[in-house]
Amino acid sequence: MTRATIMMAGHILIGTISSFALGLLIVGLTHAGLDPKQISPCACEFQDGMVVDLSPLAYNNGTPRFAINAPDAMNLVMYNPCSAFTITLLCLETALCDMAISEMGGVFYMSLGNQFTARFVNNMTSVDRLLEIQYRAIALDGEILVSHVQLQCAADTEAEFTYKTSQGNHMIFNLASKYCCPRKKIN
């Protein structure tokens, strides 16, 4: 345990904290509120030179890395960071694709955003205040859809992609991985 003195929102906090927790707190405070510089659809750099690079998670063979049921068993959402994949003409060269199965057995596909629309954003309005990648797509009715993939630093996890919630035309997902953790830039 490390004894730490931290000033937060004008208050001085003194107490013991594990070195790991202190490191996470410092990383969170260092990067809070600053939108990073986008390097690619799957990598960004913060003002302090730290980077988040999801390229080790990407499949580069035209298929999605992740496929999850969301929000019910009648929908399958597929996701691949960094590299596009194609399922049908409606999910052509996409980053996220929603496959819905109707009660009549019909299958419908809809892109939820492609790599060209990927933007790294520090979402300070979300409850979790996580760095996220936002993707945009246009639905068949002309409505703009926004997919939020919140990046959760999980040092001991290779990758876990989950559905969180849907709010209007916004779908929110979580990607927990060691590759979501800011690291020193390797030249």
Side-chain angles (χ1 to χ4, degrees):
M1 297 300 265
T2 302
R3 186 150 178 82
T5 304
I6 302 167
M7 184 166 185
M8 185 181 299
H11 300 283
I12 296 177
L13 307 172
I14 300 174
T16 56
I17 187 170
S18 73
S19 297
F20 177 75
L22 181 60
L24 287 178
L25 179 63
I26 290 169
V27 166
L29 292 176
T30 301
H31 299 117
L34 303 174
D35 280 342
K37 174 185 165 195
Q38 184 130 353
I39 299 170
S40 73
C42 64
C44 68
E45 182 176 353
F46 292 95
Q47 290 179 349
D48 63 1
M50 300 289 276
V51 296
V52 170
D53 182 3
L54 303 179
S55 60
L57 297 178
Y59 281 175
N60 295 310
N61 60 4
T63 63
R65 166 74 188 261
F66 304 100
I68 58 170
N69 286 331
D72 55 42
M74 302 301 280
N75 284 59
L76 180 72
V77 175
M78 295 160 274
Y79 175 54
N80 196 46
C82 312
S83 299
F85 65 93
T86 297
I87 301 295
T88 69
L89 288 177
L90 295 175
C91 280
L92 179 68
E93 296 294 312
T94 192
L96 285 140
C97 178
D98 183 21
M99 180 183 81
I101 302 171
S102 74
E103 292 179 11
M104 304 289 285
V107 179
F108 304 94
Y109 295 91
M110 180 172 56
S111 175
L112 300 175
N114 62 40
Q115 303 298 347
F116 299 110
T117 68
R119 297 292 173 260
F120 281 85
V121 176
N122 259 324
N123 190 343
M124 299 309 289
T125 61
S126 75
V127 173
D128 299 324
R129 297 181 180 233
L130 295 173
L131 175 66
E132 65 183 33
I133 305 176
Q134 294 180 357
Y135 299 91
R136 295 193 182 330
I138 300 174
L140 293 175
D141 65 1
E143 183 177 8
I144 295 176
L145 306 173
V146 183
S147 297
H148 305 257
V149 177
Q150 295 181 338
L151 306 180
Q152 179 184 348
C153 176
D156 297 330
T157 304
E158 179 68 20
E160 184 178 307
F161 182 64
T162 56
Y163 171 82
K164 285 181 80 173
T165 189
S166 181
Q167 301 167 348
N169 62 339
H170 294 259
M171 290 186 79
I172 302 170
F173 303 93
N174 189 73
L175 178 60
S177 172
K178 60 186 178 184
Y179 299 108
C180 295
C181 302
R183 301 167 186 254
K184 288 185 180 179
K185 186 176 184 178
I186 300 171
N187 291 330

